[in-house]
Amino acid sequence: MLKQGDLKAWLHRKELRQLDKLLLVLATFDAPAQVKDIKERARAGGLKITDSWNPSSTLSKSDGLAISTPDGWELSEAGKSHLRTLGVSQLAPAAANIAHDLRAELPNIKDADTRSFVEEAIKCYEYGLYRSAVVMSWVGAMHVLHLHVHKHKLVAFNAEASRLDAKWKPAVSTDDLGLMKEFTFLERLAAISVIGKNVKDELQKGLKLRNACGHPNSMKVGPNMVAHHLEVLLLNVFKVF
């Protein structure tokens, strides 16, 4: 969860409790750790744990943030969640910047539903729920585009949609726009110059990823892949519309 190279900076934060620092050290292990291993890892991070600390006693009073096992101490899910609230993330700095940029954009999103979708996507991303982050961010981006078309381009959109599909019933609400398949919707947006061809192509790739993430399958999704997806939506949808 926490790279050893990042441990030193965290351990020198004066506002952190003794327990928090012990949990941070535990976060650098991939397996349960004995007290001697915790002390050694802390020392490597520039923190000397003296006998007055009594790590076992401190961890045993952590209200379940750390668990004692036959092989040593390890973080519980509650402990991992606690560290996330402190700002500790498994995301690489470049990937974490995407979450930061999206958070910075939240106040500029006026529509409450869209803001809720994006905020949930950010939380999913930070918590390592990558498939959910892809799906929620996509829902937010499509909502933005539906709102834009409904407010500014509805006549042109309906004309283009009707020209290519005689069965299309002219949309009146954003819900009506949502009845069109998203791939086709993006095609129509490009045709009436709401988005350019290159943006359309990139968003359709995002749609393909969203569909893969929204259904059970064996595809692996990691932070960098999702970071790219979020960055595309940030730069071409959330910041534009």
Side-chain angles (χ1 to χ4, degrees):
M1 183 178 182
L2 180 67
K3 294 181 179 179
Q4 292 186 47
D6 298 327
L7 180 62
K8 186 174 183 179
W10 279 100
L11 291 180
H12 282 77
R13 293 196 176 190
K14 295 181 180 179
E15 72 274 15
L16 294 180
R17 301 173 299 165
Q18 190 178 105
L19 172 61
D20 292 331
K21 292 182 178 182
L22 289 172
L23 293 175
L24 285 164
V25 175
L26 277 180
T28 65
F29 289 94
D30 295 324
Q34 299 288 336
V35 170
K36 64 180 181 61
D37 299 319
I38 294 172
K39 288 183 175 181
E40 183 178 339
R41 182 65 55 83
R43 189 180 302 111
L47 176 68
K48 184 177 180 181
I49 296 179
T50 63
D51 292 337
S52 64
W53 277 50
N54 196 343
S56 290
S57 177
T58 301
L59 292 172
S60 66
K61 298 175 183 176
S62 66
D63 293 326
L65 300 181
I67 302 171
S68 178
T69 74
D71 296 319
W73 289 96
E74 65 178 0
L75 277 179
S76 66
E77 287 303 314
K80 294 175 184 178
S81 179
H82 173 71
L83 290 183
R84 291 188 188 104
T85 66
L86 296 179
V88 179
S89 171
Q90 62 184 353
L91 299 175
N97 285 340
I98 301 300
H100 177 272
D101 291 346
L102 272 172
R103 283 200 180 279
E105 193 63 25
L106 280 176
N108 299 323
I109 300 176
K110 305 304 180 184
D111 180 73
D113 289 336
T114 304
R115 190 165 55 252
S116 178
F117 292 141
V118 176
E119 188 168 17
E120 187 166 341
I122 296 169
K123 290 178 181 178
C124 288
Y125 182 58
E126 291 174 332
Y127 277 68
L129 305 174
Y130 299 127
R131 287 174 177 263
S132 297
V134 168
V135 172
M136 293 307 301
S137 60
W138 182 261
V139 170
M142 290 303 296
H143 194 58
V144 166
L145 293 174
H146 285 154
L147 289 173
H148 178 80
V149 170
H150 182 258
K151 186 175 182 179
H152 302 288
K153 296 286 185 178
L154 193 57
V155 173
F157 180 87
N158 279 327
E160 178 66 12
S162 297
R163 183 180 72 83
L164 294 171
D165 182 2
K167 295 182 180 180
W168 172 252
K169 182 180 179 181
V172 176
S173 66
T174 54
D175 286 344
D176 295 335
L177 292 171
L179 296 175
M180 180 177 286
K181 290 184 178 180
E182 292 173 338
F183 185 93
T184 304
F185 178 72
L186 294 172
E187 292 283 343
R188 302 295 178 265
L189 293 193
I192 61 174
S193 300
V194 171
I195 57 176
K197 180 183 181 301
N198 291 333
V199 171
K200 179 205 71 174
D201 291 344
E202 200 63 37
L203 290 179
Q204 287 177 335
K205 291 178 186 177
L207 172 59
K208 187 174 182 180
L209 178 61
R210 176 258 173 261
N211 289 338
C213 288
H215 299 89
N217 55 62
S218 60
M219 187 181 77
K220 304 298 182 183
V221 182
N224 293 325
M225 182 188 301
V226 180
H228 173 73
H229 174 81
L230 295 177
E231 186 174 35
V232 168
L233 298 183
L234 173 65
L235 297 178
N236 296 284
V237 178
F238 298 121
K239 281 184 173 291
V240 177
F241 301 100

